Amino acid sequence: MTTVKEEKLEKLDMKRDTYQLIINGRRVESTSGETFTSYNPATGEAIATIAKASREDAEKAIEAARNAFDKGKWKLFPLNKRARTLNKIASIMRSRFNELVELEILDTGKSLSAAQGQVMQAIEDFEFYAGAIVGHRGSVNNVPGQFHNYTEKEPVGVCAQIIPWNYPLMMAAWKIAPAIAVGCSVVVKPATLTPLTAICLGEICIEAGVPEGVVNIIPGAGSEVGNHLVEHPKVDKVAFTGSTPIGKDIMEKASQSLKRVTLELGGKSPNLVFEDADIEAAVDGSLFGIFYNTGQSCEARSRLYVHESIYDVFMEKFVEKAKKLQLGDPFSKETHIGAIINKGQLEVIDGYVQSAKEDGANILLGGKIAKVEGFEDGFWYEPTIISGVTHDMKAVKEEIFGPVVVVMPFSDEKEAIRLANDSEYGLGSAIWTTSHARATRVAKQIQAGIVMVNCPFSAFPGTPFGGYKQSGFGRELCIETLDLYTETKSVISYFGNRSLNPFGV
Ligand code: NAD
Ligand code: MN
């Protein structure tokens, strides 16, 4: 067992053949010696062998995190030193930007532009929390009589952080940055399909000076490692991003020890284009809204509603521009649409499209597994636009998590709002209109955690991200997140000069 520092982390290639777990500041093999393989979805090629964490490794990681937290190594660091360490993490990431981008593309098959944006956001997330933590504080409250009350924000403790495969580095940053900013210790479980950049981020945290045991990274099976973290009595909080069914399971199991829980779950976000919209902007933004990250995005605007008076004009442009989207080499600047994560997901996507056809919908574009020259063994799906749908169809109700959008016309604002809200999810939403009054009115009535007005982007460091309804609860990426990794301690003191005798005995 060598410590990460002894291996001179900053000199180790990020792209390499083998990756280990990060436990207690060390790079370690799994207890069982088991490994798994990660693939490049664009080519189908194996890219690396990774130590596969088991229950025993989860146990060790929790122990390390618990020990680091209870000994106060990190939470008692002077605040400015913690902030400086977060900035150091960001600056190492900046210096290794191209390597992180390359690794993210290899592991996920996503396009260069998508990977660049996400790696940059992960970096900015650490910078954001390095600043935010300095201003995060308790309060002084008015109390009648000779009493004084103040509150302190204390780190909640050991946090299990379970993340999905679609934004591997960005999700790891969304989780780790706010948790360690407030002084928590974390055990991160990346998805086994895409573990590489999260492991590298764990190594960077240690290189930047985060004490051993504070950040642990243990890729392994959700049903084994993830489940163990959720059930473990020494874990204080679970922060989960993933599908709604797993989120429900986690909430139930976490209730056994009343863990704090935040859940970022699935979505089926509506995109409303009103008759007074700037049509070009609405077309471009709606394309990005669904096809960004190959539609493998929780906040993908996958239900498109267009006012009937502009429906034909809008759809003609929308389909025409969608035809111009390039699938191909993820490393090419010309590529808009990357690969689908694996064969199973490709089949799920195609299954939804077939179900829409069987339900009588029209395929306006795509609707098939794509053949991409030079990438024949990868997993690709054509950008797909489906019209002639109704709200009882499976493809309209359920999250597809691929490059597939369903489209419907609407006749007035009231109907648009009703359609938008007719979903069990409530994560993102978008409104395209040039009327400020309408934008404000509709934004108020939409049941979603995020409303984008004439805007294709759903998140920046500082903007709250999270859902209503079955899209989960809790907000990430913002100041409020810091509250969700802390407990509020209320301190009440008496300052009168006469001693109190409330029983009067
Ligand atoms: P998933 O729910 O299958 O898995 C997510 C993570 O949970 C993985 O690391 C997995 O190993 C782990 N896991 C699986 N079973 C578990 C169990 N029983 N106990 C504990 N952990 C377990 O989701 P996925 O397929 O990896 O990701 C896609 C889903 O994630 C989509 O539904 C998408 O909408 C959602 N997502 C949401 C957001 C958001 O911020 N709201 C962001 C990205 C993705
Ligand atoms: Mn992979």
Side-chain angles (χ1 to χ4, degrees), residues 45-226:
E45 283 163 355
I47 49 173
T49 303
I50 302 105
K52 184 177 183 214
S54 64
R55 227 168 263 274
E56 287 71 48
D57 300 305
E59 200 64 42
K60 287 179 185 167
I62 294 166
E63 205 52 51
R66 191 76 258 169
N67 193 39
F69 187 78
D70 293 344
K71 288 205 174 126
K73 283 186 206 171
W74 174 244
K75 71 179 176 207
L76 300 176
F77 255 47
L79 183 60
N80 62 334
K81 208 169 156 193
R82 247 193 282 138
R84 209 183 314 137
T85 310
L86 265 80
N87 274 322
K88 181 86 191 289
I89 294 169
S91 84
I92 299 172
M93 291 171 83
R94 271 186 197 282
S95 71
R96 307 195 69 173
F97 180 80
N98 290 334
E99 289 171 87
L100 284 166
V101 168
E102 181 186 7
L103 198 58
E104 194 76 324
I105 293 172
L106 286 172
D107 210 8
T108 61
K110 67 178 71 207
S111 69
L112 176 69
S113 61
Q116 285 174 328
Q118 291 160 27
V119 173
M120 190 48 78
Q121 213 224 62
I123 294 169
E124 289 173 352
D125 209 25
F126 279 93
E127 292 167 342
F128 170 74
Y129 283 112
I133 189 57
V134 178
H136 188 242
R137 55 180 174 253
S139 57
V140 176
N141 300 302
N142 291 326
V143 191
Q146 293 173 308
F147 299 96
H148 178 60
N149 176 241
Y150 66 91
T151 64
E152 286 204 72
K153 297 283 185 181
E154 296 188 340
V156 70
V158 171
C159 304
Q161 302 184 311
I162 302 175
I163 56 178
W165 48 260
N166 59 335
Y167 298 127
L169 182 68
M170 207 172 76
M171 289 296 117
W174 282 25
K175 295 276 182 284
I176 297 172
I180 67 171
V182 301
C184 290
S185 296
V186 303
V187 179
V188 180
K189 197 207 80 63
T192 46
L193 290 170
T194 58
L196 305 185
T197 48
I199 294 173
C200 291
L201 178 56
E203 296 174 345
I204 289 171
C205 288
I206 292 156
E207 184 191 337
V210 175
E212 62 187 28
V214 174
V215 174
N216 305 277
I217 316 279
I218 52 166
S223 54
E224 185 184 350
V225 175

Side-chain angles (χ1 to χ4, degrees), residues 421-473:
N421 290 340
D422 181 25
S423 168
E424 62 188 29
Y425 292 115
L427 187 55
S429 62
I431 304 170
W432 300 91
T433 173
T434 49
S435 157
H436 181 260
R438 167 172 274 159
T440 310
R441 201 162 58 230
V442 176
K444 268 192 184 296
Q445 294 175 78
I446 285 195
Q447 297 158 355
I450 305 146
V451 184
M452 290 157 261
V453 179
N454 298 324
C455 174
F457 306 120
S458 61
F460 297 98
T463 63
F465 193 96
Y468 281 26
K469 303 196 278 188
Q470 295 199 30
S471 292
F473 50 82

Side-chain angles (χ1 to χ4, degrees), residues 411-427:
S411 53
D412 59 22
E413 194 178 295
K414 200 166 161 232
E415 190 191 15
I417 292 164
R418 184 182 61 74
L419 290 167
N421 290 340
D422 181 25
S423 168
E424 62 188 29
Y425 292 115
L427 187 55

Side-chain angles (χ1 to χ4, degrees), residues 162-167 171 174 189-193 220-228 230 240-244 246-247 249-250 253 263-267 296-299 345 399 401 425 427 465-467 471 476:
I162 302 175
I163 56 178
W165 48 260
N166 59 335
Y167 298 127
M171 289 296 117
W174 282 25
K189 197 207 80 63
T192 46
L193 290 170
S223 54
E224 185 184 350
V225 175
N227 193 60
H228 194 63
V230 172
F240 171 78
T241 297
S243 60
T244 296
I246 305 287
D249 181 60
I250 286 177
K253 287 180 175 148
L263 302 172
E264 300 277 11
L265 309 176
Q296 302 172 118
S297 195
C298 50
E299 83 290 0
Q345 196 61 25
E399 183 180 44
F401 223 61
Y425 292 115
L427 187 55
F465 193 96
S471 292
E476 292 190 299

